[in-house]
Amino acid sequence: RKEVEQDPGPFNVPEGATVAFNCTYSNSASQSFFWYRQDCRKEPKLLMSVYSSGNEDGRFTAQLNRASQYISLLIRDSKLSDSATYLCVVNTVSGAGSYQLTFGKGTKLSVIP
Amino acid sequence: GAVVSQHPSWVICKSGTSVKIECRSLDFQATTMFWYRQFPKQSLMLMATSNEGSKATYEQGVEKDKFLINHASLTLSTLTVTSAHPEDSSFYICSARARWGGGGETQYFGPGTRLLVL
């Protein structure tokens, strides 16, 4: 089983639509969670952290369910500029105290005019 | 925000040559830097973790003699792909971890280096 699994995509949605991405992780010891955005041929950039209580940043809402080991990202009122690949990222601390980010394969979103 | 630079941004080289990629943290000191590789339509895969002044820790399946990492200062880490072959063609991304007052940590990514080995 892959450590971080995401919807395969791609998601093609019209402008203004609401779209949701799902992600599951296998390591129950994972401590922090993020959504990153990666544009074509660019490095990933942090979109938002994900907290157990759920958090919102403008049109973006992230949710975490530790019991189910499930993370989601909701984008409301999609814009053309939201077109990108969205990466689910999990941070796990090892026994030695170091931590490592594990990336999902990403879900590609295309927002269509 | 913190900035991480990489140089060069892209490289085309002949098979058998070595390629060096530099990663710099521009406005903060990075005690730990990470090197990732991403093949088309695949996720970022961690290659190695580099701590300043000590040997890098390589992930399983990554040849340490082929991918030489040097982290000589708190702002610079280099990755050298020795005797590169076409299968080494990939997008190499470095990342630097910044520690802030209060115990917070953030990992910043460089813009990546696209390597094409002919």
Side-chain angles (χ1 to χ4, degrees):
Chain A
R1 183 183 171 187
K2 293 177 185 165
E3 291 191 55
V4 179
E5 290 201 65
Q6 295 185 240
D7 284 347
F11 284 44
N12 299 314
V13 303
E15 268 187 292
T18 296
V19 61
F21 301 138
N22 302 315
C23 171
T24 56
Y25 60 96
S26 60
N27 190 338
S28 60
S30 299
Q31 299 199 345
S32 49
F33 311 89
F34 311 90
W35 283 100
Y36 276 72
R37 168 192 170 130
Q38 187 174 24
D39 292 288
C40 189
R41 296 179 173 270
K42 300 286 187 181
E43 78 277 19
K45 293 186 176 176
L46 179 64
L47 179 65
M48 61 196 301
S49 301
V50 188
Y51 303 113
S52 297
S53 54
N55 48 300
E56 188 174 304
D57 183 2
R59 298 181 292 109
F60 300 84
T61 301
Q63 297 274 354
L64 166 66
N65 184 321
R66 285 187 183 269
S68 304
Q69 295 179 200
Y70 169 89
I71 306 161
S72 66
L73 175 68
L74 184 77
I75 305 176
R76 292 182 299 277
D77 189 23
S78 301
K79 310 289 184 192
L80 296 177
S81 57
D82 294 334
S83 297
T85 297
Y86 289 83
L87 307 174
C88 178
V89 183
V90 172
N91 188 7
T92 306
V93 178
S94 71
S98 62
Y99 79 79
Q100 177 175 320
L101 294 181
T102 302
F103 289 78
K105 284 180 69 172
T107 303
K108 186 174 181 180
L109 171 67
S110 294
V111 181
I112 304 163
Chain B
V3 176
V4 176
S5 71
Q6 268 185 255
H7 178 80
S9 56
W10 58 269
V11 180
I12 300 175
C13 68
K14 292 182 179 179
S15 185
T17 59
S18 292
V19 176
K20 181 189 255 187
I21 303 170
E22 289 188 351
C23 176
R24 293 181 185 272
S25 57
L26 297 185
D27 51 2
F28 65 99
Q29 292 183 332
T31 53
T32 304
M33 286 186 171
F34 305 87
W35 287 95
Y36 295 85
R37 180 168 54 180
Q38 186 177 33
F39 292 106
K41 299 188 179 181
Q42 300 296 314
S43 57
L44 269 75
M45 296 300 295
L46 181 64
M47 298 175 68
T49 301
S50 166
N51 290 301
E52 185 264 339
S54 62
K55 290 183 179 179
T57 302
Y58 290 80
E59 295 301 302
Q60 192 173 11
V62 179
E63 299 175 57
K64 63 179 181 180
D65 294 330
K66 181 171 181 62
F67 298 98
L68 303 178
I69 291 173
N70 185 291
H71 192 165
S73 78
L74 288 172
T75 59
L76 173 65
S77 176
T78 61
L79 167 69
T80 302
V81 183
T82 62
S83 187
H85 291 284
E87 60 265 29
D88 298 323
S89 300
S90 188
F91 189 39
Y92 292 85
I93 306 175
C94 75
S95 179
R97 185 165 73 194
R99 284 208 168 106
W100 310 113
E105 292 181 342
T106 305
Q107 193 166 325
Y108 297 95
F109 287 85
T113 298
R114 203 161 290 278
L115 172 64
L116 176 61
V117 185
L118 303 176

